[in-house]
Amino acid sequence: MTVELTAQDKSTIRTAAFGAVTLMSYAGIAGSAHKVATGGSLALAAATGAVGHVLAEKKRDFKLQAKSSAALADQVLPALTESVKLLQEQDPSEADNFRRTITVAIDAANRAHKGEPSPTMAEMTRKITEALDAA
């Protein structure tokens, strides 16, 4: 099935994906936010399917409101839910691909620190997963 995404749809998907990685870097600030962001971003670069093509475009058609974790979450968590919804309407398998892509990026971000994720990172992971599942 072919997925037809508008420019706004693509912007929402990029906001959701790159914003989720940025939220994880905020949560991982006690260790190395740079390593968290690098791990998550590299995972997004490995995405395939329609989602992979959207993320590979690397257009700067979105602006993350990253003045605080709360402001960023207010923007990114709804974008995650909306991305799943818009992909689900066109191709349920692509919606699953998006969920898996974000999950892999979050897992990669969590591996930036040795051992288990910190409580802060675990909580951010839970919030991101909850937003993905809200669709």
Side-chain angles (χ1 to χ4, degrees), residues 5-27:
L5 299 170
T6 67
Q8 181 58 47
D9 293 343
K10 291 177 180 182
S11 178
T12 299
I13 291 168
R14 283 190 277 272
T15 297
F18 293 112
V21 170
T22 304
L23 279 172
M24 291 302 293
S25 71
Y26 270 57

Side-chain angles (χ1 to χ4, degrees), residues 56-80:
E57 288 178 13
K58 297 183 182 178
K59 290 193 175 186
R60 289 310 217 166
D61 56 353
F62 66 96
K63 182 172 168 103
L64 295 175
Q65 304 299 323
K67 293 182 186 206
S68 70
S69 181
L72 183 61
D74 288 346
Q75 179 186 15
V76 172
L77 297 177
L80 286 162

Side-chain angles (χ1 to χ4, degrees), residues 107-126:
D107 288 348
N110 275 318
R111 287 182 176 231
H113 302 295
K114 295 189 181 197
E116 291 185 24
S118 69
T120 309
M121 291 185 73
E123 179 61 11
M124 189 61 73
T125 298
R126 185 197 64 74

Side-chain angles (χ1 to χ4, degrees), residues 88-110:
Q88 185 73 31
E89 290 172 1
Q90 293 194 38
D91 185 351
S93 66
E94 201 55 46
D96 289 341
N97 180 36
F98 178 77
R99 281 189 189 98
R100 285 190 309 273
T101 297
I102 300 302
T103 300
V104 168
I106 299 314
D107 288 348
N110 275 318

